[in-house]
Every structure is written in C-alpha cells, then in structure tokens.
Amino acid sequence: MTLLDATALRAVIPEVVGILVRRGADFASAEDAVQCAVLRALDPSRRETVLDIRAWLVTVAWRAFLDQVRSDAARTAREKQLARVPEPGPVPRRDDTLALYFLCAHPLLTSTSAITLTLRAVAGLTTRQIAEAFLVPEATMAQRISRSKQRLVGIPLDEPGDLSRVLRVLYLLFNEGYSGQIDLVAEAIRLTQQLAELTDEPEVHGLLALMILHHARGPARVIDGLLVPLAQQDRSLWDRDAITEGVDILQGALARDRLGQYQAQAAIAALHADAPTVAETDWQQIVEWYDELLAIGDSPIVRLGRALAIGEADGPRAGLVALATVDSRVPRYYAALAYLHEGVGDLDAAATEYEEAARRATTTLEQQHLLRQAYRISRGRGIDRAGQGLWN
Amino acid sequence: MAKYLMLKYYRGGRPAVNSVPMHQLTPEEWSAHVLYMQDMAARLIASGELVSSEGLSMEGSWVRFDGEGRPPVVDGPFAETKDLIAGWMLVEVHSYERALDLASELSAAPWASGSPLGEWLELREVMSAPPVDLG
C-alpha cells in the first residue's frame, strides 16, 4: 500500500489525462476530472492509501468524468460520449504523455496560455498553485485556464505536434523564475527531464543541459539581495555535480551532430561553468558558439551576447565595433554599451549609459545593480551625483 | 505578459475632461460611475487579466519607524492636500497597447450627466523578478 503523495501523483497525471482522452473524454473534461481526483487525493482529511497510484487516479478521475457527463443537461451528447468508450486494454503510456506536451503547446495558444496549461495538465499543479506562482488571484487564473482549454476544443490528442514549440514553452517557463511557493525553475527542469525520457531529439537534451547549467550557477548570482555579475561570482558556490551532469547531457546531445539553438546556448553556459576564473574563460570559443547561434537564427539578443564575448576575447574596442550592429532597443543594450565604454576608459559615457540602462531595467535587482555601477564610476571621478534621484 | 498599474487620483493629477467635482454628482451619477468600474473589473476577471482593483479612502496617515522598542510616529489622520490617490486597477496583459486600451476604458467611466469622466490615469509597468541571464 502506498500513501497518495503529491510527487508520485504528479508523475502520472499527464498519462492519466491521456488515458481518459483515449477512452473518449475530450481534453478539457479529462483535465478537469483529473484535477478533481487529485484534489481529492491531496485532501489531508482522507489520507488514502492505494495499491497502484496510476490505477487509482484513472478510476477516480474516470468516475469524476462520468459524474460530470451525467450531470450534463444534454442527454444525447452524453450517450454519444459513452458509446465511444473503447474496450479496456493496454494503453500506450509514453505516447500519451508526449501528446499532452504537444497539445499544451498548440499553435492556437499564446505562450502564456501554453505555459499555464502545461503546468496544469502536464506538471499537475493546481490552479491555486499556478495562480500563486504568477502572483494573480485564483479566479483570474481559473479563467485563463478555462479559456485556454476552450481554444483546444475539438483538437485531437493524436494531432502531430511541433517539438520546437514545446521546447520554447519550457524555456519560457524556466525564464519566469518567480519566487513563490512553487519553484518554476525546478518545474521547468523536471518537465524537460521527463520530456527527455520520451524523445531522443538532441535539442530536448540541449535545453535540459542549458537549464541545469544555469541553475547550477544560481546560488552565486544573487548575494544579500544584490545581483553579482558573472565575472565577480564566487565560483565555489556553483553546484559542481549539476555542472558535471549538464556537461554530460550536452556532450551526449552534441554527439548526435544535429546542432540547434539550445545546444549552442548550453555550450556557452558549459564554457562559463568550466572556467576556474573569468580570466581563464575560453572567450574565443564562446565567440565561435555565438557565431553558430547567429547562423541558426539572427537575433539582436544573440548579437548583444556576441559583442560582449568579443569584448572579452579581442578587447572592448572590438566589442564596441560588434555592438554597433545591434539594435539599441534590445534589452540590456545600454548596460553592454556602458560596460564596453568603461573598458576603453570612456568613463563619462559609461556613467551616463549605466544610468540609462537603469532607467530601462525591468527588474529591481538589475536596476539597483546598474545604478550602483553608475554611482561607482561617478564617485571615482569626483562627481557625487549619479542616480541620486532614483536612489532617494 | 506584464503587469500594469492604473492609478486614479482624487486630485493632484491632471484635470479631467468632465470636470464636475465629485461632491456635485447625483447619487445616480455616482452609482453609474461605480457600477461601470465594477462591471469592468468583472469582465477583466473573466478575461483572465485582473490582478486587483481597489478604491482608497480619502483620509490617510503618515507613519514611520522611530527607533527600536519605540512606538511608530504617526502624523494624521488628515486628507492629503496635494496628490491624492483614489484607487487602482492592477492588470496583467499581453501588450502595452492592451494596457493603454484598458486605461482608456477605465478613464471613460460615466460622470456628471452620464458623459465620460475622461480623467487622466497614471499607467505604470510593474517590475518583475529577475529573468535568468541566458546566453
């Protein structure tokens, strides 16, 4: 007998939703029914023990689905539903979970809807947990979820999906990183790990490596509420085991010889993670990986990263030349410009640009970091004024 | 998705198009104004965009820390004489343009004679948690 616990339950949720859909439930009702069963399972007053969690969840969710159908006023619709129930038999488990990833990343959904639905249907989080993670009321989140599911009415679970969309959803989820009761970064890694078990596609493994490598540096990134740039991070705080794991996964993916953007980004992250100090970083190779990224898809964000890498590999003057081809509206453009100007000794420009970068920052952490840079440079030059208006 | 705060002012903001003072509104006009905002909030819950919507009383106090173990220093209560925030609506939307549309809709709440108030709303984007520095 096993006590129903959240972790074990969540591992089987996508599969169970898939099973209900195969038995004839539509996706929205199947997902609702499974949520209903999960809420019952997690009810502390019940503390149910079961022989097989998956079988239990299928049974309880299917009953919840039938109750829902029975209470439906449209009697004929209900009979049609029930008539479609296939004979009991073995269910292809892995395919169903993968199909659910695809459905939740369907092109009809916005990326926000896709993230939300993935968290509910694939990760098995409750509406309340998702609402808390995104800092919105539960009622608002419930409406978002039901609208998303409404958009998918009539889409069969078997429709061939686009893996790159799934990866983008997981990548965006990883980037949400809100701190709340639910760690979205950990969720993104778990979901990508599960996806990597379902497919050999090297980009899935590339994305998983990228997430693990970034997450490994997390403890050094913010100290005492202050952002610590890569160059100044205490590298002994990096999670060495995670870095080894990330590098192994990446090497496995690269060996397949089908490069993609996530593998290239992971390669850059791995080069940072491998370097004992910032000075010993192989910047030349990082520039080469940025060239690969540009060849895969040109974007101002990639160009910005490349310009900074060139600034380290060939000096800040070369970095400024590379930055000249970047659209100034890209996030962190002014921070990069300030950093490179400081590198060539143009401190007046650097101080002004750090302040401009702070004005454009979208997070308080970055804003404070950039204001401190502006202040540091101005103070060094005897001008004790930078950022005063924003500090006070 | 980004969160935007729409700030309404009792006074201190820029003058509204329909400049009849609040105390001159009939109960029906006031009720129409409030119902419009409640209805808008209900629609924003249904569209999955509302984070919060609240009104603030006109009287407030200033409070500050006055040293460990000492009671807080309180000044007031009094009605602020300069800028006076009346309330807010906090929404989470897909684009800045959508936030502009919503602010415009909120500003159009009916006022005297049932014509739109046309008040100026302060629209501010909420800062978010730090994104992961990829790349």
Side-chain angles (χ1 to χ4, degrees):
Chain A
M1 296 292 275
T2 325
L3 186 69
L4 283 175
D5 80 284
T7 317
L9 262 175
R10 286 178 48 199
V12 298
I13 282 173
E15 215 182 316
V16 174
V17 173
I19 290 169
L20 262 59
V21 171
R22 294 228 176 261
R23 285 190 179 180
D26 61 284
F27 168 66
S29 312
E31 209 278 317
D32 274 339
V34 173
Q35 270 286 310
C36 183
V38 168
L39 288 175
R40 182 181 144 184
L42 297 179
D43 181 350
S45 65
R46 290 178 185 258
R47 292 185 61 81
E48 306 209 36
T49 53
V50 298
L51 282 171
D52 178 337
I53 286 180
R54 188 165 74 111
W56 182 90
L57 194 59
V58 170
T59 307
V60 176
W62 183 247
R63 261 188 234 136
F65 167 70
L66 289 183
D67 286 348
Q68 207 177 311
V69 174
R70 285 197 190 101
S71 69
D72 197 329
R75 187 188 172 86
T76 48
R78 174 191 91 204
E79 284 167 356
K80 258 193 254 167
Q81 283 283 18
L82 292 174
R84 279 169 52 204
V85 177
E87 290 301 305
V91 178
R93 52 186 297 181
R94 308 208 127 193
D95 289 354
D96 280 351
T97 304
L98 187 58
L100 212 56
Y101 273 92
F102 286 137
L103 190 61
C104 293
H106 197 278
L108 280 173
L109 301 174
T110 63
S111 54
T112 314
S113 302
I115 288 172
T116 311
L117 212 50
T118 301
L119 283 173
R120 224 183 90 152
V122 188
L125 298 181
T126 64
T127 304
R128 174 183 294 250
Q129 288 173 314
I130 301 169
E132 277 172 5
F134 288 94
L135 307 172
V136 300
E138 195 176 347
T140 298
M141 187 52 80
Q143 285 296 330
R144 277 189 203 169
I145 290 170
S146 96
R147 286 163 72 97
S148 305
K149 288 201 290 193
Q150 214 52 48
R151 297 203 75 120
L152 295 177
V153 167
I155 309 273
L157 191 65
D158 291 336
E159 193 178 277
D162 177 353
L163 195 59
S164 69
R165 294 191 67 91
V166 174
L167 294 182
R168 179 157 174 76
V169 167
L170 296 173
Y171 182 78
L172 290 172
L173 174 61
F174 184 74
N175 276 298
E176 284 290 343
Y178 285 145
S179 55
Q181 285 205 315
I182 297 299
D183 184 346
L184 293 180
V185 170
E187 276 311 316
I189 292 176
R190 194 179 73 78
L191 286 167
T192 310
Q193 242 150 8
Q194 183 176 289
L195 184 62
E197 285 164 20
L198 300 171
T199 163
D200 283 337
E201 170 56 43
E203 273 293 82
V204 177
H205 296 261
L207 178 60
L208 180 59
L210 174 64
M211 289 176 173
I212 290 173
L213 287 167
H214 270 286
H215 193 48
R217 303 205 308 252
R221 205 170 273 136
V222 178
I223 302 288
D224 296 335
L226 294 176
L227 198 64
V228 184
L230 181 65
Q232 281 137 44
Q233 284 174 16
D234 175 355
R235 293 178 184 221
S236 69
L237 296 176
W238 292 359
D239 181 343
R240 283 289 145 203
D241 292 344
I243 288 171
T244 306
E245 185 193 356
V247 169
D248 283 350
I249 295 170
L250 174 64
Q251 278 169 348
L254 289 174
R256 311 284 301 278
D257 209 19
R258 289 216 311 278
L259 188 64
Q261 56 160 324
Y262 298 115
Q263 293 169 77
Q265 285 192 51
I268 293 169
L271 285 167
H272 286 306
D274 267 347
T277 64
V278 69
E280 289 168 87
T281 307
D282 188 346
W283 290 104
Q284 203 55 56
Q285 214 188 328
I286 290 178
V287 173
E288 283 162 21
W289 279 112
Y290 273 113
D291 289 339
E292 293 279 4
L293 269 176
L294 271 185
I296 293 164
D298 197 345
S299 95
I301 294 175
V302 172
R303 282 173 176 269
L304 183 86
R306 183 173 170 274
L308 285 168
I310 288 175
E312 302 295 339
D314 303 331
R317 248 171 245 292
L320 282 168
V321 172
L323 193 64
T325 69
V326 179
D327 186 338
S328 67
R329 286 167 300 180
V330 67
R332 298 176 182 162
Y333 172 86
Y334 282 94
L337 191 59
Y339 178 75
L340 293 169
H341 271 144
E342 187 183 359
V344 299
D346 188 348
L347 298 185
D348 282 339
T352 312
E353 286 150 5
Y354 273 128
E355 282 188 59
E356 181 63 27
R359 251 189 294 281
R360 291 167 185 251
T362 56
T363 75
T364 44
L365 263 182
E366 278 184 46
Q367 184 189 53
Q368 284 179 2
H369 172 72
L370 294 163
L371 284 174
R372 280 166 58 230
Q373 302 310 308
Y375 184 66
R376 174 180 55 80
I377 292 177
S378 302
R379 197 180 41 188
R381 295 171 63 70
I383 315 163
D384 198 351
R385 56 154 184 84
Q388 291 249 318
L390 282 165
W391 275 115
N392 296 322
Chain B
M1 297 281 269
K3 289 195 177 88
Y4 287 91
L5 179 66
M6 299 187 270
L7 276 178
K8 288 167 66 77
Y9 285 85
Y10 284 117
R11 61 170 172 269
R14 304 175 179 196
V17 174
N18 190 336
S19 59
V20 174
M22 194 164 91
H23 64 267
Q24 286 175 18
L25 289 195
T26 66
E28 292 75 23
E29 285 169 342
W30 179 247
S31 159
H33 180 74
V34 172
L35 286 175
Y36 178 97
M37 292 191 293
Q38 284 176 356
D39 176 58
M40 184 172 168
R43 277 182 290 114
L44 288 176
I45 289 176
S47 67
E49 294 175 309
L50 188 76
V51 180
S52 76
S53 173
E54 302 289 353
L56 294 173
S57 66
M58 294 191 78
E59 276 201 344
S61 327
W62 287 90
V63 184
R64 74 160 167 81
F65 174 71
D66 195 38
E68 216 52 68
R70 296 169 60 92
V73 180
V74 180
D75 197 5
F78 47 74
E80 179 53 82
T81 49
K82 242 172 64 196
D83 293 354
L84 187 57
I85 294 169
W88 71 81
M89 210 177 248
L90 184 60
V91 293
E92 188 170 32
V93 291
H94 279 290
S95 66
Y96 176 63
E97 287 67 33
R98 174 68 178 158
L100 285 182
D101 284 345
L102 291 180
S104 168
E105 185 179 340
L106 183 58
S107 165
W111 199 244
S113 326
S115 59
L117 172 57
E119 66 181 324
W120 287 92
L121 293 173
E122 191 179 343
L123 183 67
R124 305 280 299 270
E125 186 174 348
V126 176
M127 282 204 169
S128 50
V132 178
D133 195 3
L134 293 173

